Amino acid sequence: MLRNTCALLCLALLLSGCVTGDYVVLLESPDGTTGAVIIEDAKGQTRLDRKQQGLAIGTRALGSGPFHVGELRIAHDFSAALAAQPSLPQRFQLYFKLGSAELTEESQRAIEQVVEAIRLRGPSAVSVIGHTDTLSGPGWNEQLGLIRAQAIADMLRSRAIEMIDLTVSSHGERNLLIKTSDGVSEPRNRRVEVSVR
């Protein structure tokens, strides 16, 4: 079993050295964080909360505790599980000019990165979510966010790329990237978020 968050690997393995049998190891997530996991058995609870920290499970020797598992050992023991992981979603932010669905010059170039990511990944599920700043009020901002998202979706549809699903929605001013009060023009909030899975 391999989970993206908290990246816990749990497989039956035969280890050489101090531990023989099954063990789990906690890995760092792609964002650099390491969660925690509590292993509970007849001998009590053990918390793993550091990257590459392992623990023998099953017929654990009395008094055995967490141990460090090196990168080479992880690569060897869990190569099949690591290779079977799905690719993580790629996320892109495209920014817009004030009050419009016209991309900024930088984002006009960045749309090519989105297209290339979809092309390289193959048939993809793509999510396009429009956002606004708080300048014009919630009603209009909801509509403007949808207009922006639809403009990006139309650009993607016009390309020779395979998408198995394309969802388009608007958050308007509800999920600000930069928190502001009402009536504030904030360029970083005028965006579309594209997720490619």
Side-chain angles (χ1 to χ4, degrees):
M1 171 176 78
L2 180 66
R3 298 186 308 192
N4 285 336
T5 57
C6 186
L8 173 67
L9 297 176
C10 177
L11 297 174
L13 298 169
L14 182 63
L15 296 174
S16 60
C18 62
V19 179
T20 302
D22 299 341
Y23 77 100
V24 296
V25 63
L26 191 65
L27 297 181
E28 190 174 62
S29 294
D31 67 0
T33 62
T34 302
V37 64
I38 295 177
I39 309 295
E40 185 172 358
D41 61 14
K43 296 180 176 105
Q45 293 183 345
T46 304
R47 177 184 168 97
L48 303 180
D49 56 11
R50 290 190 306 272
K51 71 178 182 176
Q52 296 177 256
Q53 191 176 32
L55 182 71
I57 58 174
T59 56
R60 188 161 43 132
L62 184 62
S64 66
F67 55 90
H68 178 79
V69 183
E71 289 183 26
L72 290 176
R73 184 92 228 178
I74 290 169
H76 176 267
D77 292 345
F78 299 107
S79 60
L82 292 168
Q85 287 187 102
S87 298
L88 294 173
Q90 290 179 270
R91 291 184 171 78
F92 301 89
Q93 304 258 12
L94 302 171
Y95 296 95
F96 292 82
K97 295 182 179 177
L98 179 65
S100 76
E102 185 181 347
L103 287 168
T104 63
E105 288 180 30
E106 185 177 336
S107 289
Q108 287 173 14
R109 292 186 297 274
I111 193 76
E112 296 307 318
Q113 295 172 351
V114 177
V115 171
E116 187 63 17
I118 296 169
R119 209 172 260 135
L120 289 174
R121 190 175 285 253
S124 303
V126 180
S127 169
V128 182
I129 303 171
H131 299 268
T132 67
D133 57 23
T134 61
L135 196 57
S136 299
W140 168 244
N141 284 336
E142 189 72 24
Q143 291 177 9
L144 181 56
L146 189 57
I147 291 167
R148 288 174 173 165
Q150 193 60 56
I152 297 303
D154 290 344
M155 284 182 202
L156 296 176
R157 282 188 196 103
S158 72
R159 304 299 183 95
I161 51 178
E162 289 186 68
M163 295 180 286
I164 55 175
D165 186 38
L166 177 62
T167 60
V168 179
S169 62
S170 173
H171 288 188
E173 63 181 56
R174 288 176 284 145
N175 288 324
L176 299 173
L177 186 63
I178 306 300
K179 300 294 182 199
T180 67
S181 56
D182 288 343
V184 174
S185 174
E186 171 52 63
R188 291 168 291 179
N189 287 333
R190 298 192 296 264
R191 71 197 191 282
V192 160
E193 294 177 349
V194 180
S195 175
V196 180
R197 318 181 288 292

